[in-house]
Amino acid sequence: MEFYFPTELGEQLAFCSAAFTALAGFIMMFAPGQTFRLLGLQAQEGRPEGFGEGRSMGGFYLGFGLSAIMLAQDWIYMALGASFAMAAFARVISILSDKGSNLVNYLLLVVQIALAALPLLYVFGFTQT
């Protein structure tokens, strides 16, 4: 079995979104403390559940990204794009409702919109071959 890298530009962009998701998940899973610091979160002393949740979230991102890379199917890319679109929508709600209007939230919103757009543009045929 050989490694599949897409030949069409649109699928390459969707692939890059999946690869970034897997990379972010890997970092979250194996470096939850640094991830929490980057996001402005902290786990309580003596409560390992916080790190467990961070690692678990990283494992989900890693698994989802790797699944999209390995299967390379339109429906998987659509699920990846739709998931990031809903995450971006939730971040907008947080910015508006939770007084979360800060630079980190806006940067993460842009990243989530890009990670949603790349696979969705490919799946719905908006990228040229």
Side-chain angles (χ1 to χ4, degrees):
M1 182 175 177
E2 62 186 60
F3 179 74
Y4 169 75
F5 186 77
T7 56
E8 297 178 13
L9 175 63
E11 191 174 3
Q12 287 174 351
L13 295 175
F15 181 94
C16 288
S17 178
F20 184 84
T21 301
L23 177 65
F26 182 83
I27 293 168
M28 291 164 64
M29 194 163 87
F30 291 106
Q34 287 79 5
T35 304
F36 285 172
R37 274 192 285 287
L38 177 71
L39 297 174
L41 303 171
Q42 76 180 51
Q44 276 185 317
E45 285 293 320
R47 301 286 310 250
E49 297 88 359
F51 286 110
E53 187 61 32
R55 289 183 195 277
S56 176
M57 185 171 56
F60 181 81
Y61 276 40
L62 179 60
F64 201 177
L66 288 178
S67 295
I69 289 169
M70 293 171 64
L71 297 175
Q73 298 293 315
D74 288 352
W75 284 101
I76 302 293
Y77 287 137
M78 186 183 300
L80 182 67
S83 297
F84 274 114
M86 291 308 296
F89 179 66
R91 189 165 302 277
V92 169
I93 291 172
S94 175
I95 289 170
L96 297 175
S97 300
D98 305 330
K99 298 177 185 160
S101 183
N102 60 38
L103 182 62
V104 172
N105 261 343
Y106 286 117
L107 288 174
L108 289 173
L109 176 63
V110 170
V111 169
Q112 287 175 329
I113 289 171
L115 290 173
L118 294 176
L120 291 177
L121 288 173
Y122 165 68
V123 169
F124 291 117
F126 288 105
T127 55
Q128 299 295 324
T129 57

